[in-house]
């Protein structure tokens, strides 16, 4: 049924639950996995006096973001390797993770998106936004939402 599953993870502890569900499903179906992680875009401080003392340059931020993303996605790689599931990884700096998730799924010809939902109340989701909700609203692919809280 599904041959290529995209796992969207944010690096939180609850992401491990999403990885476990998606890898188990991929193993059962003989599917492959693409893990994707979005790092928030660089926002320079408003007060330039702090920029040189407390904040990294854009280049340093991007270097650190790359290290962070590789660390986050290593969990996907390890889980896939342990289960014998083929795996690819992708990451980018993007403050709109739902757009990165949908674009990556399209580019890589994924046929299912697996991601978590923290189960926030309606009011919390309204103020904090929900990437899962945005993927459901803007995408055309099936989405498996794993409740992680």
């Amino acid at each position: 049924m599904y041959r290529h599953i995209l796992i969207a993870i944010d690096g939180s502890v609850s992401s491990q639950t999403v990885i476990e569900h998606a890898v188990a499903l991929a193993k059962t179906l003989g599917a492959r996995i693409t893990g994707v992680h979005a790092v928030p875009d660089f926002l320079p401080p408003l007060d330039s006096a702090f920029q040189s003392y407390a904040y990294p340059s854009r280049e340093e931020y991007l270097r650190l973001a790359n290290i962070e993303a590789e660390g986050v996605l290593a969990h996907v790689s390890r889980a896939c390797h342990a289960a014998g599931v083929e795996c690819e990884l992708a990451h980018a700096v993007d403050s709109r993770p739902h757009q990165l998730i949908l674009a990556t799924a399209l580019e890589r010809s994924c046929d299912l998106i697996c991601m978590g939902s923290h189960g926030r109340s309606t009011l919390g989701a309204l103020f904090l936004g929900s990437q899962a909700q945005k993927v459901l609203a803007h995408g055309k692919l099936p989405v498996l939402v794993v409740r992680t809280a």
Side-chain angles (χ1 to χ4, degrees):
M1 173 174 235
Y2 299 113
R3 308 306 307 156
H4 192 172
I5 301 170
L6 183 137
I7 304 175
I9 59 171
D10 62 5
S12 66
V13 173
S14 60
S15 289
Q16 191 59 40
T17 303
V18 177
I19 294 168
E20 290 167 4
H21 277 62
V23 171
L25 180 60
K27 183 174 175 109
T28 300
L29 297 174
R32 60 192 171 111
I33 284 183
T34 291
V36 67
H37 175 68
V39 177
D41 203 357
F42 176 75
L43 294 173
L46 296 176
D47 186 347
S48 62
F50 288 110
Q51 188 168 5
S52 61
Y53 298 108
Y55 293 91
S57 65
R58 179 168 180 74
E59 293 76 22
E60 179 66 6
Y61 178 83
L62 294 174
R63 186 185 73 75
L64 294 171
N66 190 47
I67 292 168
E68 176 201 334
E70 288 174 0
V72 167
L73 290 168
H75 297 283
V76 175
S77 181
R78 281 194 295 272
C80 287
H81 180 72
V85 172
E86 184 182 337
C87 175
E88 300 173 2
L89 305 173
H91 66 276
V93 174
D94 196 328
S95 293
R96 297 157 307 183
H98 73 282
Q99 290 183 351
L100 176 64
I101 292 164
L102 292 170
T104 303
L106 182 63
E107 290 167 8
R108 308 251 178 146
S109 300
C110 297
D111 50 16
L112 176 68
I113 296 171
C114 186
M115 59 190 307
S117 172
H118 297 291
R120 291 188 179 97
S121 68
T122 305
L123 188 60
L126 178 65
F127 287 114
L128 298 173
S130 167
Q131 295 307 310
Q133 184 177 4
K134 290 174 184 173
V135 167
L136 285 165
H138 299 289
K140 293 182 178 14
L141 292 174
V143 180
L144 172 62
V145 179
V146 178
R147 182 139 186 188
T148 59

